[in-house]
Amino acid sequence: MPPKPTSLAVVAPFYNEAGLIERFYQVLCAALDPLALNCTFVFVDDGSSDTTLQELNQLADADPRVSVLSLTRNFGHQVALTAGLDYADADVVVTMDSDLQHPPSAIPEMLRVYESGVDVVYGVRKNEDNRGFIKQLTAKLFYRLLRRFTHVDIIGGAMDFRLMSRRAVAALRQMPERHRFLRGMVPWMGFSFQTLAYDEQQRVAGQSKYTWRKMLRLARHGFFSFSTAALDIITLLGIFMAGAALLYLVYALLAWVFVGRVVPGWTSVITVVLIVSGVQLISIGILAQYIGMIFEQVKGRPLYFLKQERLAQQSADHPVRQHEVEHR
Ligand code: UDP
Ligand code: MG
């Protein structure tokens, strides 16, 4: 069993969240202050174009426990979380959304679960999704597909509200992949875990920053970086097509030899040509997905750049260090 934690860090990404920052901070502090823990906050501005960064800096002016990182542009939720995790330095680290959909009041419960001796505590949404019918449906479908075609136990209903031990965070930092899908990467690491059900709240202000484009990108990264099933499927499809073609060839030759007639069938020919070329194009598209990801990965670029790195003020008993950031 791990020793009782003495410090906790909260990592939260902010993308154009001006207007709810103060409220988030208040609710968070109200939940954490009663805990006998050294708390720090790593707030990451994901290239916001509103006053998010100024508001975060105001928090840091007033509270020396607050670190504020600002990415040079919008790199996306998963990268913003990764940046925060790179800088979080505590026995336990909690990642959560900054719109109060993940209730800070669940953090003390997560800690209790953690103290039962696991490395990761996944917050699992217990209420129905309040995100609209189509988003719910597509999410359900996506996770079913993911569970079916990957070897990772993706936990149903687990969003990016989770608590991780120091060693789980350290392990995650060693995973330099560009196409980040933390909901798959964390379970993949294989550390012991428990889940904790929480009630997801409505967003307190503003609108969802997850556009359809961003969601599709996340889904693409999740699926293609955790499964090569699509490659197996096109291989099988190829074998099936080749088999069918061979049979047809035999039939055509027999017809030519024994019946001696060649049917002028334009419709059948064009149908076959269209279907086959469609399947080929889709197959090439699937290959292109992987090639594109390999291409981006081998460039080996850093995952993000910072335009501001404002670290929580150090204290003798609880230094906040910057570590393992150089290689990114
Ligand atoms: N977010 C971010 N970068 C982005 C999109 C979102 O840092 O490009 C943050 C956002 O500020 C919020 C969290 O990620 O704290 C979840 O986003 P959001 O609430 O918009 O998504 P939803 O809850 O609708 O899925
Ligand atoms: Mg939200």
Side-chain angles (χ1 to χ4, degrees), residues 164-189:
M164 280 182 276
S165 66
R166 188 188 282 280
R167 66 174 181 178
V169 173
L172 192 60
R173 284 195 194 122
Q174 291 176 36
M175 294 169 71
E177 60 218 72
R178 292 203 65 74
H179 308 91
R180 298 185 89 71
F181 184 66
L182 292 166
R183 287 164 211 182
M185 289 164 67
V186 178
W188 181 87
M189 297 193 303

PDB file of all heavy atoms in Angstrom, residues 164-189:
ATOM      1  N   MET A 164      -4.301  10.302 -10.486  1.00  0.00           N
ATOM      2  CA  MET A 164      -3.190   9.390 -10.751  1.00  0.00           C
ATOM      3  C   MET A 164      -2.111   9.548  -9.696  1.00  0.00           C
ATOM      4  O   MET A 164      -1.853  10.653  -9.226  1.00  0.00           O
ATOM      5  CB  MET A 164      -2.576   9.692 -12.116  1.00  0.00           C
ATOM      6  CG  MET A 164      -3.342   9.112 -13.281  1.00  0.00           C
ATOM      7  SD  MET A 164      -2.521   9.478 -14.843  1.00  0.00           S
ATOM      8  CE  MET A 164      -3.165  11.088 -15.157  1.00  0.00           C
ATOM      9  N   SER A 165      -1.470   8.432  -9.378  1.00  0.00           N
ATOM     10  CA  SER A 165      -0.357   8.487  -8.441  1.00  0.00           C
ATOM     11  C   SER A 165       0.845   9.103  -9.137  1.00  0.00           C
ATOM     12  O   SER A 165       0.890   9.206 -10.364  1.00  0.00           O
ATOM     13  CB  SER A 165       0.001   7.076  -7.982  1.00  0.00           C
ATOM     14  OG  SER A 165       0.493   6.348  -9.089  1.00  0.00           O
ATOM     15  N   ARG A 166       1.820   9.469  -8.339  1.00  0.00           N
ATOM     16  CA  ARG A 166       3.029  10.060  -8.908  1.00  0.00           C
ATOM     17  C   ARG A 166       3.675   9.132  -9.923  1.00  0.00           C
ATOM     18  O   ARG A 166       4.086   9.546 -11.005  1.00  0.00           O
ATOM     19  CB  ARG A 166       4.025  10.360  -7.771  1.00  0.00           C
ATOM     20  CG  ARG A 166       5.238  11.140  -8.198  1.00  0.00           C
ATOM     21  CD  ARG A 166       6.247  11.225  -7.077  1.00  0.00           C
ATOM     22  NE  ARG A 166       5.904  12.199  -6.061  1.00  0.00           N
ATOM     23  CZ  ARG A 166       6.114  13.510  -6.176  1.00  0.00           C
ATOM     24  NH1 ARG A 166       6.640  13.984  -7.270  1.00  0.00           N
ATOM     25  NH2 ARG A 166       5.788  14.324  -5.199  1.00  0.00           N
ATOM     26  N   ARG A 167       3.694   7.832  -9.586  1.00  0.00           N
ATOM     27  CA  ARG A 167       4.398   6.938 -10.530  1.00  0.00           C
ATOM     28  C   ARG A 167       3.589   6.717 -11.804  1.00  0.00           C
ATOM     29  O   ARG A 167       4.153   6.486 -12.870  1.00  0.00           O
ATOM     30  CB  ARG A 167       4.792   5.626  -9.866  1.00  0.00           C
ATOM     31  CG  ARG A 167       3.657   4.749  -9.457  1.00  0.00           C
ATOM     32  CD  ARG A 167       4.203   3.433  -8.948  1.00  0.00           C
ATOM     33  NE  ARG A 167       3.075   2.583  -8.566  1.00  0.00           N
ATOM     34  CZ  ARG A 167       3.207   1.365  -8.128  1.00  0.00           C
ATOM     35  NH1 ARG A 167       4.399   0.832  -8.006  1.00  0.00           N
ATOM     36  NH2 ARG A 167       2.156   0.663  -7.797  1.00  0.00           N
ATOM     37  N   ALA A 168       2.267   6.793 -11.711  1.00  0.00           N
ATOM     38  CA  ALA A 168       1.465   6.675 -12.940  1.00  0.00           C
ATOM     39  C   ALA A 168       1.694   7.894 -13.834  1.00  0.00           C
ATOM     40  O   ALA A 168       1.813   7.772 -15.056  1.00  0.00           O
ATOM     41  CB  ALA A 168      -0.012   6.530 -12.596  1.00  0.00           C
ATOM     42  N   VAL A 169       1.798   9.066 -13.212  1.00  0.00           N
ATOM     43  CA  VAL A 169       2.064  10.281 -13.995  1.00  0.00           C
ATOM     44  C   VAL A 169       3.451  10.191 -14.633  1.00  0.00           C
ATOM     45  O   VAL A 169       3.633  10.513 -15.814  1.00  0.00           O
ATOM     46  CB  VAL A 169       1.943  11.543 -13.118  1.00  0.00           C
ATOM     47  CG1 VAL A 169       2.378  12.781 -13.887  1.00  0.00           C
ATOM     48  CG2 VAL A 169       0.517  11.709 -12.612  1.00  0.00           C
ATOM     49  N   ALA A 170       4.415   9.693 -13.862  1.00  0.00           N
ATOM     50  CA  ALA A 170       5.774   9.563 -14.397  1.00  0.00           C
ATOM     51  C   ALA A 170       5.785   8.599 -15.578  1.00  0.00           C
ATOM     52  O   ALA A 170       6.474   8.820 -16.579  1.00  0.00           O
ATOM     53  CB  ALA A 170       6.721   9.083 -13.295  1.00  0.00           C
ATOM     54  N   ALA A 171       4.999   7.536 -15.480  1.00  0.00           N
ATOM     55  CA  ALA A 171       4.937   6.562 -16.581  1.00  0.00           C
ATOM     56  C   ALA A 171       4.306   7.201 -17.814  1.00  0.00           C
ATOM     57  O   ALA A 171       4.788   7.044 -18.937  1.00  0.00           O
ATOM     58  CB  ALA A 171       4.140   5.334 -16.143  1.00  0.00           C
ATOM     59  N   LEU A 172       3.259   7.948 -17.586  1.00  0.00           N
ATOM     60  CA  LEU A 172       2.560   8.596 -18.703  1.00  0.00           C
ATOM     61  C   LEU A 172       3.482   9.568 -19.438  1.00  0.00           C
ATOM     62  O   LEU A 172       3.431   9.707 -20.659  1.00  0.00           O
ATOM     63  CB  LEU A 172       1.327   9.328 -18.166  1.00  0.00           C
ATOM     64  CG  LEU A 172       0.326   9.834 -19.189  1.00  0.00           C
ATOM     65  CD1 LEU A 172      -0.226   8.684 -20.008  1.00  0.00           C
ATOM     66  CD2 LEU A 172      -0.811  10.580 -18.499  1.00  0.00           C
ATOM     67  N   ARG A 173       4.360  10.214 -18.671  1.00  0.00           N
ATOM     68  CA  ARG A 173       5.293  11.159 -19.301  1.00  0.00           C
ATOM     69  C   ARG A 173       6.255  10.468 -20.239  1.00  0.00           C
ATOM     70  O   ARG A 173       6.875  11.087 -21.095  1.00  0.00           O
ATOM     71  CB  ARG A 173       6.127  11.857 -18.220  1.00  0.00           C
ATOM     72  CG  ARG A 173       5.351  12.919 -17.501  1.00  0.00           C
ATOM     73  CD  ARG A 173       6.332  13.796 -16.735  1.00  0.00           C
ATOM     74  NE  ARG A 173       5.589  14.600 -15.783  1.00  0.00           N
ATOM     75  CZ  ARG A 173       5.798  14.581 -14.483  1.00  0.00           C
ATOM     76  NH1 ARG A 173       6.747  13.821 -13.974  1.00  0.00           N
ATOM     77  NH2 ARG A 173       5.083  15.340 -13.700  1.00  0.00           N
ATOM     78  N   GLN A 174       6.412   9.154 -20.047  1.00  0.00           N
ATOM     79  CA  GLN A 174       7.334   8.437 -20.938  1.00  0.00           C
ATOM     80  C   GLN A 174       6.674   8.036 -22.246  1.00  0.00           C
ATOM     81  O   GLN A 174       7.291   7.377 -23.078  1.00  0.00           O
ATOM     82  CB  GLN A 174       7.849   7.178 -20.237  1.00  0.00           C
ATOM     83  CG  GLN A 174       8.762   7.492 -19.088  1.00  0.00           C
ATOM     84  CD  GLN A 174       9.153   6.214 -18.364  1.00  0.00           C
ATOM     85  OE1 GLN A 174       9.324   5.177 -18.989  1.00  0.00           O
ATOM     86  NE2 GLN A 174       9.277   6.293 -17.061  1.00  0.00           N
ATOM     87  N   MET A 175       5.427   8.377 -22.420  1.00  0.00           N
ATOM     88  CA  MET A 175       4.739   7.987 -23.655  1.00  0.00           C
ATOM     89  C   MET A 175       4.666   9.199 -24.578  1.00  0.00           C
ATOM     90  O   MET A 175       3.795  10.044 -24.417  1.00  0.00           O
ATOM     91  CB  MET A 175       3.345   7.447 -23.322  1.00  0.00           C
ATOM     92  CG  MET A 175       3.433   6.155 -22.529  1.00  0.00           C
ATOM     93  SD  MET A 175       1.877   5.611 -21.821  1.00  0.00           S
ATOM     94  CE  MET A 175       0.983   5.104 -23.279  1.00  0.00           C
ATOM     95  N   PRO A 176       5.589   9.268 -25.533  1.00  0.00           N
ATOM     96  CA  PRO A 176       5.723  10.502 -26.304  1.00  0.00           C
ATOM     97  C   PRO A 176       4.835  10.562 -27.536  1.00  0.00           C
ATOM     98  O   PRO A 176       5.075  11.374 -28.415  1.00  0.00           O
ATOM     99  CB  PRO A 176       7.200  10.468 -26.705  1.00  0.00           C
ATOM    100  CG  PRO A 176       7.498   9.020 -26.867  1.00  0.00           C
ATOM    101  CD  PRO A 176       6.594   8.262 -25.928  1.00  0.00           C
ATOM    102  N   GLU A 177       3.814   9.730 -27.615  1.00  0.00           N
ATOM    103  CA  GLU A 177       3.060   9.735 -28.871  1.00  0.00           C
ATOM    104  C   GLU A 177       2.329  11.054 -29.101  1.00  0.00           C
ATOM    105  O   GLU A 177       1.864  11.702 -28.186  1.00  0.00           O
ATOM    106  CB  GLU A 177       2.097   8.561 -28.923  1.00  0.00           C
ATOM    107  CG  GLU A 177       1.079   8.532 -27.826  1.00  0.00           C
ATOM    108  CD  GLU A 177       0.828   7.108 -27.363  1.00  0.00           C
ATOM    109  OE1 GLU A 177       1.722   6.545 -26.699  1.00  0.00           O
ATOM    110  OE2 GLU A 177      -0.241   6.567 -27.656  1.00  0.00           O
ATOM    111  N   ARG A 178       2.272  11.417 -30.362  1.00  0.00           N
ATOM    112  CA  ARG A 178       1.655  12.681 -30.748  1.00  0.00           C
ATOM    113  C   ARG A 178       0.145  12.624 -30.686  1.00  0.00           C
ATOM    114  O   ARG A 178      -0.518  13.583 -30.392  1.00  0.00           O
ATOM    115  CB  ARG A 178       1.989  13.010 -32.212  1.00  0.00           C
ATOM    116  CG  ARG A 178       3.380  13.326 -32.515  1.00  0.00           C
ATOM    117  CD  ARG A 178       3.420  14.147 -33.776  1.00  0.00           C
ATOM    118  NE  ARG A 178       2.765  15.436 -33.570  1.00  0.00           N
ATOM    119  CZ  ARG A 178       3.290  16.424 -32.879  1.00  0.00           C
ATOM    120  NH1 ARG A 178       4.463  16.289 -32.329  1.00  0.00           N
ATOM    121  NH2 ARG A 178       2.644  17.548 -32.732  1.00  0.00           N
ATOM    122  N   HIS A 179      -0.393  11.485 -31.106  1.00  0.00           N
ATOM    123  CA  HIS A 179      -1.842  11.391 -31.251  1.00  0.00           C
ATOM    124  C   HIS A 179      -2.395  10.905 -29.941  1.00  0.00           C
ATOM    125  O   HIS A 179      -2.526   9.717 -29.710  1.00  0.00           O
ATOM    126  CB  HIS A 179      -2.184  10.476 -32.438  1.00  0.00           C
ATOM    127  CG  HIS A 179      -1.453  10.910 -33.662  1.00  0.00           C
ATOM    128  ND1 HIS A 179      -0.222  10.406 -33.987  1.00  0.00           N
ATOM    129  CD2 HIS A 179      -1.747  11.854 -34.572  1.00  0.00           C
ATOM    130  CE1 HIS A 179       0.208  11.014 -35.086  1.00  0.00           C
ATOM    131  NE2 HIS A 179      -0.702  11.906 -35.454  1.00  0.00           N
ATOM    132  N   ARG A 180      -2.644  11.849 -29.093  1.00  0.00           N
ATOM    133  CA  ARG A 180      -2.893  11.491 -27.704  1.00  0.00           C
ATOM    134  C   ARG A 180      -4.364  11.241 -27.435  1.00  0.00           C
ATOM    135  O   ARG A 180      -5.221  12.041 -27.757  1.00  0.00           O
ATOM    136  CB  ARG A 180      -2.367  12.588 -26.790  1.00  0.00           C
ATOM    137  CG  ARG A 180      -0.871  12.753 -26.956  1.00  0.00           C
ATOM    138  CD  ARG A 180      -0.300  13.731 -25.995  1.00  0.00           C
ATOM    139  NE  ARG A 180       0.110  13.135 -24.734  1.00  0.00           N
ATOM    140  CZ  ARG A 180       1.151  12.347 -24.592  1.00  0.00           C
ATOM    141  NH1 ARG A 180       1.877  12.010 -25.632  1.00  0.00           N
ATOM    142  NH2 ARG A 180       1.466  11.884 -23.412  1.00  0.00           N
ATOM    143  N   PHE A 181      -4.606  10.101 -26.817  1.00  0.00           N
ATOM    144  CA  PHE A 181      -5.939   9.743 -26.404  1.00  0.00           C
ATOM    145  C   PHE A 181      -5.780   9.194 -24.985  1.00  0.00           C
ATOM    146  O   PHE A 181      -5.576   8.003 -24.776  1.00  0.00           O
ATOM    147  CB  PHE A 181      -6.505   8.688 -27.368  1.00  0.00           C
ATOM    148  CG  PHE A 181      -7.926   8.308 -27.087  1.00  0.00           C
ATOM    149  CD1 PHE A 181      -8.959   9.225 -27.249  1.00  0.00           C
ATOM    150  CD2 PHE A 181      -8.240   7.029 -26.666  1.00  0.00           C
ATOM    151  CE1 PHE A 181     -10.266   8.868 -26.992  1.00  0.00           C
ATOM    152  CE2 PHE A 181      -9.548   6.667 -26.419  1.00  0.00           C
ATOM    153  CZ  PHE A 181     -10.562   7.593 -26.577  1.00  0.00           C
ATOM    154  N   LEU A 182      -5.812  10.131 -24.045  1.00  0.00           N
ATOM    155  CA  LEU A 182      -5.458   9.766 -22.666  1.00  0.00           C
ATOM    156  C   LEU A 182      -6.402   8.705 -22.100  1.00  0.00           C
ATOM    157  O   LEU A 182      -5.997   7.875 -21.301  1.00  0.00           O
ATOM    158  CB  LEU A 182      -5.470  11.016 -21.781  1.00  0.00           C
ATOM    159  CG  LEU A 182      -4.343  12.011 -22.118  1.00  0.00           C
ATOM    160  CD1 LEU A 182      -4.593  13.362 -21.468  1.00  0.00           C
ATOM    161  CD2 LEU A 182      -2.990  11.475 -21.673  1.00  0.00           C
ATOM    162  N   ARG A 183      -7.642   8.707 -22.578  1.00  0.00           N
ATOM    163  CA  ARG A 183      -8.613   7.721 -22.086  1.00  0.00           C
ATOM    164  C   ARG A 183      -8.200   6.304 -22.444  1.00  0.00           C
ATOM    165  O   ARG A 183      -8.669   5.340 -21.847  1.00  0.00           O
ATOM    166  CB  ARG A 183      -9.983   7.997 -22.697  1.00  0.00           C
ATOM    167  CG  ARG A 183     -10.619   9.210 -22.100  1.00  0.00           C
ATOM    168  CD  ARG A 183     -11.765   9.721 -22.952  1.00  0.00           C
ATOM    169  NE  ARG A 183     -11.847  11.159 -22.799  1.00  0.00           N
ATOM    170  CZ  ARG A 183     -12.751  11.926 -23.378  1.00  0.00           C
ATOM    171  NH1 ARG A 183     -13.661  11.383 -24.169  1.00  0.00           N
ATOM    172  NH2 ARG A 183     -12.759  13.217 -23.183  1.00  0.00           N
ATOM    173  N   GLY A 184      -7.341   6.164 -23.435  1.00  0.00           N
ATOM    174  CA  GLY A 184      -6.822   4.842 -23.782  1.00  0.00           C
ATOM    175  C   GLY A 184      -5.418   4.650 -23.231  1.00  0.00           C
ATOM    176  O   GLY A 184      -5.044   3.555 -22.818  1.00  0.00           O
ATOM    177  N   MET A 185      -4.629   5.736 -23.228  1.00  0.00           N
ATOM    178  CA  MET A 185      -3.229   5.617 -22.813  1.00  0.00           C
ATOM    179  C   MET A 185      -3.107   5.252 -21.340  1.00  0.00           C
ATOM    180  O   MET A 185      -2.256   4.446 -20.957  1.00  0.00           O
ATOM    181  CB  MET A 185      -2.493   6.940 -23.079  1.00  0.00           C
ATOM    182  CG  MET A 185      -2.278   7.212 -24.558  1.00  0.00           C
ATOM    183  SD  MET A 185      -1.847   8.924 -24.905  1.00  0.00           S
ATOM    184  CE  MET A 185      -0.234   9.048 -24.162  1.00  0.00           C
ATOM    185  N   VAL A 186      -3.961   5.841 -20.506  1.00  0.00           N
ATOM    186  CA  VAL A 186      -3.844   5.572 -19.065  1.00  0.00           C
ATOM    187  C   VAL A 186      -4.215   4.116 -18.750  1.00  0.00           C
ATOM    188  O   VAL A 186      -3.437   3.419 -18.088  1.00  0.00           O
ATOM    189  CB  VAL A 186      -4.654   6.598 -18.239  1.00  0.00           C
ATOM    190  CG1 VAL A 186      -4.566   6.266 -16.759  1.00  0.00           C
ATOM    191  CG2 VAL A 186      -4.146   8.015 -18.499  1.00  0.00           C
ATOM    192  N   PRO A 187      -5.356   3.605 -19.248  1.00  0.00           N
ATOM    193  CA  PRO A 187      -5.628   2.186 -18.997  1.00  0.00           C
ATOM    194  C   PRO A 187      -4.561   1.270 -19.606  1.00  0.00           C
ATOM    195  O   PRO A 187      -4.218   0.237 -19.035  1.00  0.00           O
ATOM    196  CB  PRO A 187      -6.984   1.931 -19.674  1.00  0.00           C
ATOM    197  CG  PRO A 187      -7.571   3.242 -19.946  1.00  0.00           C
ATOM    198  CD  PRO A 187      -6.485   4.260 -19.935  1.00  0.00           C
ATOM    199  N   TRP A 188      -4.012   1.671 -20.761  1.00  0.00           N
ATOM    200  CA  TRP A 188      -2.991   0.843 -21.424  1.00  0.00           C
ATOM    201  C   TRP A 188      -1.788   0.607 -20.513  1.00  0.00           C
ATOM    202  O   TRP A 188      -1.176  -0.459 -20.535  1.00  0.00           O
ATOM    203  CB  TRP A 188      -2.543   1.521 -22.721  1.00  0.00           C
ATOM    204  CG  TRP A 188      -1.521   0.725 -23.471  1.00  0.00           C
ATOM    205  CD1 TRP A 188      -1.756  -0.263 -24.380  1.00  0.00           C
ATOM    206  CD2 TRP A 188      -0.097   0.842 -23.349  1.00  0.00           C
ATOM    207  NE1 TRP A 188      -0.566  -0.777 -24.832  1.00  0.00           N
ATOM    208  CE2 TRP A 188       0.477  -0.119 -24.220  1.00  0.00           C
ATOM    209  CE3 TRP A 188       0.750   1.644 -22.593  1.00  0.00           C
ATOM    210  CZ2 TRP A 188       1.841  -0.286 -24.351  1.00  0.00           C
ATOM    211  CZ3 TRP A 188       2.126   1.477 -22.722  1.00  0.00           C
ATOM    212  CH2 TRP A 188       2.661   0.525 -23.602  1.00  0.00           C
ATOM    213  N   MET A 189      -1.461   1.611 -19.686  1.00  0.00           N
ATOM    214  CA  MET A 189      -0.284   1.475 -18.823  1.00  0.00           C
ATOM    215  C   MET A 189      -0.436   0.332 -17.833  1.00  0.00           C
ATOM    216  O   MET A 189       0.549  -0.211 -17.343  1.00  0.00           O
ATOM    217  CB  MET A 189      -0.036   2.783 -18.069  1.00  0.00           C
ATOM    218  CG  MET A 189       0.283   3.939 -18.995  1.00  0.00           C
ATOM    219  SD  MET A 189       0.943   5.357 -18.109  1.00  0.00           S
ATOM    220  CE  MET A 189      -0.332   5.709 -16.920  1.00  0.00           C
TER     221      MET A 189
END
